[in-house]
Amino acid sequence: MTRKKTIFAILTIIFLAIIGFTFSQKNNAKADSRIKIVFWHEMTGPGQIQLNKFVKEFNDSQSKYVVVPQFEGNYNEAVQKILNTHGTDASPALFQSMDISTSQIYHSSYTTPVQKFIDKEGYDTSKISAVARAFYSKNGTQLSMPFNTSQPVLYYNATLLKKYGITPPPVNPSYSDITRVATELYQKSGKKVKGLSVEIYGWLFEQFLANGGESLANNNDGHSGVPTSVNFSGKVATKTMQWLQENIKSGAFMNFGAGSSASANEMAAFLSGKLGMFLQSSADISQLTAGTKNKLGVTYYPHPDGQKSNGVSIGGASLWISNDKSSEVQQGAWNFIKFLMTAKSQASWQVATGYLALNEDSQNEPVLKKLYQSQPEAKIPGQQLRRTKPNNTNSGIFMQGLIQERTLTQTAMEQIYNGSNINNSLVEAEKAMNSYITSNNLANNVKQK
């Protein structure tokens, strides 16, 4: 290359760099001129991928706001960051917070209830799942908007049941229906296949009570006042623990224990054909269908014999608006929430993540219809959600200290699974939780009733 050509090439590169820099600056100026909405979330994997797509779609759809998503670790880590940064420049305008932190966030007084924007705009919430909304409301006020939402369901290996000539459980099974299937599978397989597994998990304990219509905490599970005591040893709780203990003892049910290793072993056993049924989150459906060639069956959460199912509550997280930001920023956060709750967005969310589409019109979206055509069982969790009428016992437990409650009920479950006296185990956990509640209420100047 000649000296002139070299100089020309260098000048060309410099010119193009200047043009590129100028173009970038203009774009940055455009972005910077918009109102920034910092959004803290805890999504990983497919959830984070889809959430980033939503952010891009929203940002491209209008010119006033720019949502900036930031991953903040797991749910527990994020809650502490939210509480510790409120009132500073570091705090988010919009954040995602897990279900069991609802009472804690509410009592912090750090948020603007989304009800304010619902009332201001006359936003129609009737299309959004009533059960999901009820979980995050207080005295008729919508505190936050439900987002990544799941419900517990029963999964069964339909191929395995067919192999042994066993009639599958009905879509809305009782405890006896599950016992029949589990016992038949255990016996017909020569005791090589366990019938059912129920992980030692406080959330599942809560759901048994919800579906049986029994409050875990007084004051209507905290919906009509701050709880001052809990009831772990009621009729439904006792009957359920008897059912589990008897079938574990017979060998028809499997005890995988508690924790992440328990749930991993449970799923591995199911996918390998060593376990016929198990109870777990509806959000697992995508992983299950991808992990096996066997036909997957799904039913509603089982209910006690001799009574109708009351319906289960939800799990997951919701979206909250911080009150330490300007009205313009809060409005932008609300606008993004509305975008996420459209029928199209919710349908895409369920397909991508396995979380339930909360907008009832999502059922008409082509992308969700396509999913149901290839995986009919994916309809069941949403049907369970839509058929449930919210009441105090299936709308979550509005109480601080739910992590403590789950630790205690899991200890009781573990003892019971291993053959301990059911009433003694439940009452012991109950007394420990009541002691915790009394101390916590005293520290927060809440009168015991």
Side-chain angles (χ1 to χ4, degrees):
M1 182 181 290
T2 64
R3 180 180 175 83
K4 287 185 178 180
K5 287 183 178 180
T6 301
I7 293 173
F8 178 75
I10 292 171
L11 291 174
T12 300
I13 292 170
I14 293 172
F15 175 75
L16 291 173
I18 292 171
I19 293 295
F21 178 77
T22 303
F23 180 75
S24 175
Q25 287 295 95
K26 286 182 178 180
N27 276 349
N28 289 338
K30 180 182 177 181
D32 291 342
S33 68
R34 294 195 285 179
I35 298 170
K36 182 187 290 187
I37 312 298
V38 175
F39 171 38
W40 284 7
H41 69 88
E42 296 84 56
M43 292 286 92
T44 59
Q48 187 176 78
I49 293 170
Q50 184 59 49
L51 197 55
N52 287 336
K53 288 181 181 179
F54 285 149
V55 168
K56 185 178 186 307
E57 289 172 8
F58 176 77
N59 288 343
D60 290 346
S61 71
Q62 45 73 52
S63 58
K64 188 171 183 178
Y65 304 104
V66 57
V67 173
V68 181
Q70 296 177 358
F71 175 72
E72 295 299 323
N74 63 39
Y75 286 130
N76 289 321
E77 292 171 342
V79 168
Q80 293 309 311
K81 289 180 183 178
I82 289 160
L83 297 176
N84 291 336
T85 61
H86 184 79
T88 72
D89 291 340
S91 70
L94 176 68
F95 63 88
Q96 178 189 31
S97 185
M98 61 181 171
D99 51 356
I100 62 173
S101 66
T102 301
S103 179
Q104 183 180 19
I105 297 297
Y106 167 74
H107 284 102
S108 74
S109 300
Y110 286 173
T111 63
T112 299
V114 295
Q115 190 69 49
K116 174 182 176 180
F117 302 93
I118 291 170
D119 293 342
K120 177 183 174 183
E121 300 179 8
Y123 178 76
D124 183 11
T125 60
S126 65
K127 297 289 186 179
I128 310 302
S129 166
V131 173
R133 283 189 286 114
F135 194 103
Y136 301 108
S137 66
K138 181 72 170 176
N139 299 326
T141 296
Q142 194 68 47
L143 305 176
S144 59
M145 187 64 78
F147 181 50
N148 53 304
T149 299
S150 61
Q151 282 199 310
V153 293
L154 181 139
Y155 295 107
Y156 67 90
N157 186 327
T159 302
L160 198 61
L161 297 189
K162 184 177 181 180
K163 173 184 175 181
Y164 289 106
I166 299 170
T167 302
V171 71
N172 187 15
S174 67
Y175 291 174
S176 290
D177 290 324
I178 301 306
T179 301
R180 173 191 62 80
V181 176
T183 303
E184 287 184 23
L185 182 57
Y186 183 57
Q187 295 297 335
K188 290 185 176 183
S189 68
K191 300 184 178 181
K192 294 179 180 179
V193 179
K194 292 288 186 176
L196 175 75
S197 169
V198 179
E199 182 187 347
I200 295 173
Y201 184 16
W203 184 55
L204 298 181
F205 182 89
E206 294 162 13
Q207 300 299 347
F208 282 123
L209 270 63
N211 211 21
E214 185 168 277
S215 292
L216 182 143
N218 70 345
N219 291 326
N220 295 310
D221 272 337
H223 293 285
S224 60
V226 176
T228 57
S229 66
V230 295
N231 176 27
F232 297 163
S233 57
K235 182 180 177 181
V236 172
T238 300
K239 183 186 294 186
T240 302
M241 292 301 106
Q242 287 172 343
W243 172 60
L244 294 173
Q245 188 184 69
E246 288 170 2
N247 283 285
I248 289 171
K249 186 176 180 179
S250 75
F253 288 9
M254 179 64 184
N255 173 19
F256 283 105
S260 57
S261 60
S263 57
N265 291 336
E266 179 182 66
M267 186 169 288
F270 182 81
L271 293 175
S272 64
K274 300 292 179 61
L275 176 68
M277 300 179 290
F278 72 108
L279 298 174
Q280 204 44 269
S281 168
S282 58
D284 289 341
I285 195 166
S286 298
Q287 184 179 352
L288 288 168
T289 51
T292 180
K293 294 181 180 179
N294 290 329
K295 180 176 174 56
L296 181 68
V298 183
T299 77
Y300 303 161
Y301 204 75
H303 59 84
D305 294 327
Q307 65 181 88
K308 293 182 178 179
S309 57
N310 181 57
V312 291
S313 65
I314 62 169
S318 64
L319 302 175
W320 299 75
I321 297 176
S322 298
N323 63 11
D324 61 345
K325 304 304 176 189
S326 69
S327 58
E328 277 192 319
V329 171
Q330 291 187 43
Q331 182 64 50
W334 167 246
N335 286 0
F336 182 54
I337 288 175
K338 288 191 295 182
F339 176 84
L340 294 174
M341 299 312 294
T342 63
K344 181 180 179 182
S345 293
Q346 283 294 296
S348 297
W349 184 240
Q350 178 170 338
V351 171
T353 66
Y355 287 115
L356 300 174
L358 297 180
N359 189 319
E360 66 179 40
D361 288 343
S362 296
Q363 304 304 310
N364 299 320
E365 290 292 319
V367 67
L368 202 49
K369 286 184 174 181
K370 184 178 179 181
L371 173 68
Y372 293 157
Q373 286 176 352
S374 62
Q375 299 175 20
E377 66 278 1
K379 285 184 179 180
I380 302 299
Q383 289 174 354
Q384 176 180 243
L385 181 69
R386 290 189 295 276
R387 74 184 290 276
T388 301
K389 295 181 179 180
N391 55 48
N392 289 327
T393 50
N394 63 22
S395 298
I397 304 157
F398 205 90
M399 177 176 73
Q400 297 193 61
L402 284 175
I403 292 177
Q404 179 74 2
E405 172 264 313
R406 289 185 178 179
T407 299
L408 291 169
T409 53
Q410 284 166 197
T411 298
M413 290 177 74
E414 184 172 14
Q415 292 170 350
I416 291 166
Y417 280 21
N418 289 324
S420 295
N421 181 277
I422 292 171
N423 186 67
N424 290 348
S425 297
L426 293 175
V427 169
E428 183 180 352
E430 183 178 291
K431 288 180 178 178
M433 188 63 199
N434 284 334
S435 177
Y436 174 89
I437 290 173
T438 299
S439 298
N440 190 64
N441 286 349
L442 286 173
N444 291 287
N445 297 315
V446 176
K447 293 182 179 180
Q448 291 292 109
K449 295 180 180 179

